[in-house]
Amino acid sequence: MAAVDDLQFEEFGDVATSLAANPDATTINIEGPGETPKRLGPPRGSGREEDDELLGNDDSDKTELLAGQKKSSPFWTFEYYQTFFDVDTYQVFDRIKGSLLPIPGKNFVRLYIRSNPDLYGPFWICATLVFAIAISGNLSNFLIHLGEKTYHYVPEFRKVSIAATIIYAYAWLVPFALWGFLLWRNSKVMNIVSYSFLEIVCVYGYSLFIYIPTAILWIIPQKAVRWILVMMALGISGSVLAMTFWPAVREDNRRVALATIVTIVLLHTLLSVGCLAYFFDAPEVDHLPTTAVVPNQTVVAAKSS
Amino acid sequence: MPQLMRAFNVFSNSYQFAGLSDISISQDIPVEGEITIPMRSRIREFDSSTLNESVQNTIMRDLKAVGKKFMHVLYPRKSNTLLRDWDLWGPLVLCVTLALMLQRGSADSENDGGPQFAEVFVIIWFGAVTITLNSKLLGGNISFFQSLCVLGYCILPLTVALLVCRLVLLAKPGPINFIVRLFVVIMMFAWSIVASTAFLADSQPPNRKALAVYPVFLFYFVISWMILTFTP
């Protein structure tokens, strides 16, 4: 690169060509790739209408574009997976809060995820839930059978693997099935709102958060308390899911839309009731004293049968 | 360096009669030579000499390194030694000890017993790998094996807790027994967390520290639970 005239600016041409000419030269890239998606946050005014929040009209094009822009690395590089963990602490807390307080009319995906779905939340919430259920189940069984002379405490470690299989299968296979179903319906009916697979996984993951305190409270060996907790948890997380997916199916045939929402809530119910039934022994009707064990045990057996 | 001077001299000699104004510095001046770091030859010497040393020397050196790291865990200070020279001997020894001691002596044919040897092993190693991957995905700048090393070494307080629990369990069973074990396990759990965060927290960007530390908390909590619920 000869400077013929010292007073004239040299044309270095395109970055690519100059790099090709001189591969060892360093170039400064001022425009970072991470800047574009983040600009999505602040310019959104709070004066948006409800419909926009639900439908995300001009939003969905932008989010599709930006989602495409963000994941530019090929899938076999580490950087590709780093884009799924691009969340800060306060963002994770915000998303958890959003899953705990479903506001009617606010869509969890549009409000909190905003085309930045993360895998941190779903993965660690599921991991915590697995251990919460296994440990709480173990504790609750221990407390229920505390007085019995014939009861020998076992840590029941097998149940951790079973819990892990159930929870992770639910958190990944059900979103996959739902995504496939929505994709299929999208090809038949033009839906305004469509979610990517990761956004669905994200919603499901964060909606499972309510079950962590529920599982801990299930230690209380009262049937009524447990069922009230089931209802409350189901109400909250079910409504988050229903409000998220209603805009995606409401353009469709009425029956199909309703059936989808009902199926989502039903599967959620199945998960919670199944976990309650399998990991937590039924609390006894009476808490019996430890003296005179044998005749009381037969009485209890007669009562529970 | 002398080669560079020679090349430049050649250039200036060829332009001697044209005058100095014709020499343009932006022309390519061939630079040759080798840059050697004087350290390298010393290290190479050092390496070759370890081949000739006695086996006892080698073993003692590794044992001393492991022992020094144990000391670092017991008195956690922010030091780089643990991070720089990582090794996985300590974690392996601790993991095997923990898994062996968590085995119950009775030939229990019941399935719902305590964790099997393989389960403890898998939980510790896959847990550590998952935490490391999580930390790297969040943007931390710690290397993979350094993180495994730190997490493995910080199991030491919990192994001590298990030893104490086993000793306490030899005494009469009862609520006092349980309270003592609970207290010991809680103390050692807190110690593990403090020790590991002292080493790991700095490698994370500040707005994601909590996200990286929480899995460590979960990991040690699960191990503490396994220790606390151990019944011989």
Side-chain angles (χ1 to χ4, degrees):
Chain A
M1 282 196 265
V4 177
D5 203 325
D6 285 328
L7 293 176
Q8 208 173 41
F9 274 113
E10 220 178 85
E11 276 301 315
F12 285 99
D14 207 10
V15 172
T17 53
S18 68
L19 265 180
N22 191 357
D24 294 330
T26 53
T27 52
I28 303 172
N29 188 9
I30 297 178
E31 229 183 66
E35 286 187 8
T36 18
K38 296 218 174 29
R39 259 182 238 130
L40 198 51
R44 280 167 162 237
S46 50
R48 272 180 162 253
E49 303 156 30
E50 206 180 276
D51 265 358
D52 259 339
E53 285 282 342
L54 283 178
L55 298 178
N57 261 326
D58 38 43
D59 208 4
S60 53
D61 303 350
K62 253 191 262 174
T63 53
E64 283 308 306
L65 251 178
L66 285 166
Q69 263 183 22
K70 220 171 50 152
K71 288 142 180 94
S72 52
S73 326
F75 69 90
W76 56 82
T77 57
F78 192 68
E79 283 73 29
Y80 176 74
Y81 297 103
Q82 261 185 329
T83 55
F84 303 139
F85 282 76
D86 195 14
V87 277
D88 292 335
T89 311
Y90 76 92
Q91 280 176 322
V92 172
F93 280 147
D94 274 344
R95 292 174 187 194
I96 293 179
K97 230 175 19 174
S99 79
L100 289 177
L101 306 165
I103 306 174
K106 299 282 187 204
N107 187 337
F108 182 76
V109 175
R110 290 287 163 248
L111 196 57
Y112 291 104
I113 300 193
R114 292 174 181 245
S115 86
N116 185 19
D118 70 309
L119 285 181
Y120 177 89
F123 182 77
W124 287 109
I125 291 178
C126 288
T128 313
L129 186 59
V130 164
F131 289 113
I133 286 187
I135 292 178
S136 307
N138 198 235
L139 259 182
S140 126
N141 291 351
F142 171 71
L143 288 176
I144 286 175
H145 299 285
L146 189 51
E148 291 167 24
K149 287 233 150 72
T150 54
Y151 177 73
H152 179 65
Y153 170 73
V154 282
E156 290 178 326
F157 214 73
R158 284 286 169 282
K159 298 211 165 166
V160 173
S161 347
I162 298 174
T165 316
I166 295 177
I167 303 271
Y168 275 101
Y170 180 79
W172 284 85
L173 292 182
V174 172
F176 184 69
L178 188 60
W179 173 71
F181 175 75
L182 286 178
L183 216 59
W184 174 59
R185 292 313 295 179
N186 250 351
S187 65
K188 299 209 161 180
V189 176
M190 196 53 215
N191 270 331
I192 300 180
V193 174
S194 67
Y195 298 124
S196 72
F197 172 59
L198 283 168
E199 286 172 345
I200 301 184
V201 167
C202 220
V203 174
Y204 263 87
Y206 280 104
S207 74
L208 285 177
F209 179 82
I210 184 71
Y211 286 113
I212 298 176
T214 311
I216 298 177
L217 286 174
W218 272 342
I219 297 179
I220 302 174
Q222 296 292 329
K223 251 199 165 122
V225 172
R226 285 184 178 177
W227 281 100
I228 291 177
L229 286 168
V230 168
M231 292 299 149
M232 275 173 46
L234 203 56
I236 293 179
S237 59
S239 60
V240 168
L241 287 177
M243 282 194 290
T244 305
F245 289 108
W246 180 244
V249 290
R250 73 178 181 189
E251 308 293 319
D252 210 341
N253 184 1
R254 200 75 184 170
R255 281 203 197 147
V256 171
L258 275 175
T260 314
I261 301 291
V262 165
T263 313
I264 292 175
V265 176
L266 210 61
L267 282 173
H268 221 59
T269 317
L270 204 62
L271 178 78
S272 57
V273 170
C275 282
L276 178 61
Y278 184 70
F279 292 100
F280 294 82
D281 283 351
E284 315 223 332
V285 179
D286 300 315
H287 191 70
L288 301 162
T290 55
T291 58
V293 171
V294 173
N296 275 343
Q297 270 186 349
T298 51
V299 167
V300 168
K303 266 193 197 166
S304 58
S305 62
Chain B
M1 273 316 158
Q3 283 106 335
L4 171 60
M5 293 313 295
R6 250 180 261 137
F8 192 67
N9 279 338
V10 165
F11 254 93
S12 62
N13 280 340
S14 59
Y15 283 104
Q16 209 170 10
F17 299 104
L20 280 172
S21 60
D22 277 358
I23 297 179
S24 62
I25 310 295
S26 63
Q27 274 184 356
D28 287 357
I29 301 174
V31 176
E32 310 171 21
E34 42 178 326
I35 302 176
T36 57
I37 305 173
M39 280 289 290
R40 192 168 286 183
S41 56
R42 216 187 297 154
I43 289 179
R44 242 181 257 140
E45 268 171 37
F46 183 62
D47 275 348
S48 62
S49 75
T50 63
L51 274 177
N52 297 332
E53 65 181 14
S54 65
V55 173
Q56 183 189 9
N57 269 356
T58 317
I59 294 181
M60 284 315 294
R61 190 175 57 239
D62 280 339
L63 276 181
K64 277 202 200 113
V66 170
K68 206 157 62 140
K69 290 205 190 70
F70 278 146
M71 283 301 127
H72 272 283
V73 170
L74 288 180
Y75 305 108
R77 281 184 313 272
K78 267 193 191 97
S79 93
N80 285 333
T81 325
L82 203 68
L83 288 181
R84 231 193 354 243
D85 316 315
W86 59 267
D87 78 85
L88 292 178
W89 283 113
L92 181 68
V93 164
L94 285 173
C95 178
V96 168
T97 316
L98 201 67
L100 280 177
M101 286 204 292
L102 278 173
Q103 295 307 299
R104 301 157 74 201
S106 56
D108 233 333
S109 59
E110 253 184 54
N111 276 342
D112 277 348
Q116 301 292 320
F117 181 91
E119 282 173 341
V120 177
F121 216 81
V122 160
I123 282 189
I124 291 183
W125 285 102
F126 271 109
V129 166
T130 311
I131 295 176
T132 309
L133 277 179
N134 175 64
S135 156
K136 285 184 82 70
L137 283 168
L138 282 173
N141 59 357
I142 193 171
S143 105
F144 183 75
F145 287 107
Q146 280 173 352
S147 172
L148 278 187
C149 169
V150 169
L151 288 168
Y153 270 102
C154 290
I155 297 181
L156 176 68
L158 287 170
T159 314
V160 168
L162 181 57
L163 274 169
V164 172
C165 279
R166 280 205 88 141
L167 289 175
V168 169
L169 277 168
L170 292 174
K172 195 167 68 93
I176 303 178
N177 197 314
F178 176 72
I179 301 245
V180 169
R181 280 187 293 141
L182 181 69
F183 179 69
V184 167
V185 169
I186 289 182
M187 291 298 303
M188 294 300 168
F189 166 65
W191 198 337
S192 282
I193 299 238
V194 164
S196 59
T197 45
F199 294 114
L200 289 178
D202 286 338
S203 66
Q204 284 295 324
N207 50 348
R208 294 182 184 181
K209 273 207 174 59
L211 295 184
V213 167
Y214 170 71
V216 177
F217 171 85
L218 188 64
F219 176 63
Y220 288 126
F221 182 78
V222 169
I223 299 182
S224 315
W225 174 256
M226 288 197 293
I227 292 175
L228 189 60
T229 60
F230 170 74
T231 48

